[in-house]
Amino acid sequence: MKTRKVSIGAVEIGGGLPLVLLAGPCVIESEKAVMTEAERLKAVCRQAGIPLVFKSSYDKANRTSLSSFRGPGIRQGLKVLQRVKKTFGIPVLSDVHSADEAKAAGEVLDCLQIPAFLCRQTDILVAAARTKKAINIKKGQFLAPWNMDEVIKKIVSSGNRKILLTERGVSFGYNNLVVDFRSLAIMRQLGYPVIFDATHSVQLPGGRGTSSGGEKKYVAALSRAAVAFGCDGLFLEVHQRPEKALCDGPNMLSLSELPRLLETVREIGRLADGARKTNE
């Protein structure tokens, strides 16, 4: 089944189009850091020939510990993302954690992201949909892929069909996630582009007691597998120095590692697309 095309600013995803990258640091640590990372990401993606949607969160409301760094908040965070958008001409994406945030977020963001833990919260989904912007829904770690059909219906009820579905692993025992790649194919059958979140799929939720751990050594391998299996885009959280990151450092990819990975997945995507067309 061919997925519909969804526009995020000037970037189109789905419908057999080339692979798209949704990437950026987990959270806005400072305006200077975000501007530097956005500039580098744009250059890397231009070199790889892969369209970019820049991602960074203005507030990480679902941290493990009360004392965890959350970001600058919606007001300042949206100002930073607006500057990224204006300066580099790339679309921007961030998480929305409540229905009250949706209107303000929709005035700046090209894509509103619904965090995995909130993917069934009707009021948030409907409020986000009413902005008429693209909506990226992270599939909950507790949901089967076919259950996302009911989530889609909540968005569509507001007349918005600009929907992306993101796989980010499923809970497997305590402090662990695994990826069932069948999920990509199952969600694609729902008719919307499917994104694979390689960095959160290697997360160990709460694995460090007061914070989450991660096994970023598997990010590249899972990215390659997802593109070969069939997805419309990759979601990667990247950082200049993940070991110094204020949030999700253990599962984030270093910016220096990104060019090689993008070169590899671009080639895998080309071969996989050719094989699919041959078999159609």
Side-chain angles (χ1 to χ4, degrees):
M1 178 178 181
K2 201 168 188 178
T3 59
R4 68 169 59 236
K5 294 179 183 178
V6 172
S7 296
I8 301 180
V11 173
E12 285 195 322
I13 303 176
L17 293 167
L19 192 73
V20 170
L21 179 67
L22 284 60
C26 174
V27 66
I28 297 171
E29 296 181 0
S30 71
E31 182 171 342
K32 180 179 179 181
V34 164
M35 295 300 289
T36 298
E37 287 156 345
E39 184 175 28
R40 288 190 61 187
L41 270 169
K42 181 178 180 180
V44 168
C45 288
R46 186 194 301 119
Q47 180 68 29
I50 293 178
L52 170 68
V53 176
F54 183 81
K55 180 270 169 188
S56 196
S57 297
Y58 53 74
D59 181 18
K60 299 298 289 187
N62 57 343
R63 297 298 83 196
T64 302
S65 170
L66 180 64
S67 61
S68 296
F69 179 76
R70 290 179 51 167
I74 185 170
R75 185 175 179 180
Q76 183 59 32
L78 288 176
K79 286 182 180 179
V80 173
L81 292 171
Q82 179 68 58
R83 187 180 172 201
V84 168
K85 185 175 175 178
K86 183 178 180 180
T87 302
F88 302 112
I90 51 179
V92 293
L93 173 156
S94 195
D95 298 295
V96 175
H97 290 92
S98 72
D100 292 340
E101 293 178 14
K103 184 177 180 181
E107 291 175 357
V108 173
L109 304 178
D110 299 286
C111 183
L112 281 65
Q113 181 164 278
I114 310 300
F117 287 126
L118 300 177
C119 71
R120 300 206 320 178
Q121 298 301 305
T122 302
D123 290 347
I124 297 176
L125 292 167
V126 172
R130 286 175 177 166
T131 67
K132 305 303 179 184
K133 296 296 182 72
I135 312 296
N136 182 34
I137 312 163
K138 294 281 193 81
K139 179 177 74 64
Q141 303 92 323
F142 46 85
L143 277 186
W146 45 84
N147 292 142
M148 290 299 284
D149 190 39
E150 295 303 315
V151 177
I152 288 170
K153 289 175 183 177
K154 294 178 182 182
I155 300 290
V156 173
S157 72
S158 295
N160 189 338
R161 293 182 178 273
K162 294 186 282 189
I163 300 168
L164 308 177
L165 304 175
T166 293
E167 171 60 49
R168 51 126 327 140
V170 62
S171 295
F172 187 75
Y174 299 127
N175 305 124
N176 196 28
L177 300 171
V178 296
V179 177
D180 178 358
F181 284 110
R182 294 177 301 174
S183 176
L184 302 178
I186 293 167
M187 289 198 293
R188 252 187 168 186
Q189 289 300 310
L190 300 177
Y192 294 90
V194 172
I195 309 298
F196 178 64
D197 180 348
T199 45
H200 284 104
S201 291
V202 301
Q203 194 175 57
L204 301 175
R208 292 184 168 186
T210 59
S211 64
S212 293
E215 298 179 305
K216 62 183 175 183
K217 62 185 177 181
Y218 299 121
V219 168
L222 288 176
S223 298
R224 295 192 299 266
V227 173
F229 193 93
C231 63
D232 299 284
L234 286 176
F235 181 104
L236 297 170
E237 287 192 333
V238 297
H239 195 279
Q240 297 177 84
R241 299 180 65 188
E243 71 280 2
K244 298 290 186 181
L246 300 179
C247 177
D248 279 4
N251 55 265
M252 273 199 286
L253 194 69
S254 171
L255 265 167
S256 63
E257 300 173 275
L258 189 60
R260 183 177 179 183
L261 176 58
L262 292 186
E263 182 181 350
T264 301
V265 296
R266 182 189 61 191
E267 184 63 16
I268 291 173
R270 186 185 66 81
L271 292 171
D273 187 56
R276 280 192 294 271
K277 288 177 179 176
T278 299
N279 293 325
E280 287 177 353

